[in-house]
Amino acid sequence: GNLHFNGLAQKFDGFKGLSIDWLFGPFAFKASLANQWLAYEGTSWDAQMIPYVRGVKQLDWKIGSVEVDFEHPGVMKAQEEGNLLWSKKRLNQLNLLFEVLGDRELT
């Protein structure tokens, strides 16, 4: 997913040269930008990403990415890996993001 979204985003000035981990959950923004998230009507993973994509594309926002030294706990990995319910959840997540983020916002 990250390679796909980063590739699509490169055509927009605010994303040029950035390598973003689109699928990493935590993110931060200035409180003054909160209305962009509050106004967005998405109800899933897109609700985190689309507001800042639109901010970069339409409002000339500057974003950055920082590397975080994080590894999922072994217990969490053990619960998810090989579990068909988790595999389906992750597949649904990617399908939603490929459509909403990839096909609608970054093309």
Side-chain angles (χ1 to χ4, degrees):
N2 286 326
L3 288 173
H4 181 72
F5 300 133
N6 279 320
L8 291 173
Q10 292 305 301
K11 68 179 152 220
F12 301 103
D13 288 340
F15 290 110
K16 286 192 191 299
L18 290 178
S19 178
I20 298 172
D21 187 345
W22 297 85
L23 306 175
F24 185 66
F27 73 109
F29 56 87
K30 293 179 182 180
S32 61
L33 305 177
N35 283 336
Q36 291 298 116
W37 277 267
L38 295 171
Y40 181 69
E41 294 182 4
T43 60
S44 195
W45 300 281
D46 58 311
Q48 176 175 318
M49 299 170 197
I50 301 303
Y52 71 75
V53 169
R54 289 180 180 173
V56 168
K57 288 173 48 180
Q58 300 166 2
L59 304 171
D60 200 30
W61 287 1
K62 304 295 182 236
I63 66 167
S65 184
V66 295
E67 200 164 311
V68 177
D69 185 22
F70 174 80
E71 287 188 33
H72 289 290
V75 172
M76 183 179 172
K77 283 185 177 182
Q79 287 175 335
E80 289 193 25
E81 289 180 356
N83 183 316
L84 297 178
L85 291 176
W86 277 105
S87 296
K88 186 174 181 179
K89 178 182 178 180
R90 297 296 177 219
L91 181 59
N92 288 338
Q93 179 182 24
L94 283 174
N95 284 333
L96 173 97
L97 293 175
F98 267 65
E99 178 186 340
V100 177
L101 179 62
D103 294 344
R104 295 185 197 163
E105 298 293 331
L106 293 173
T107 54

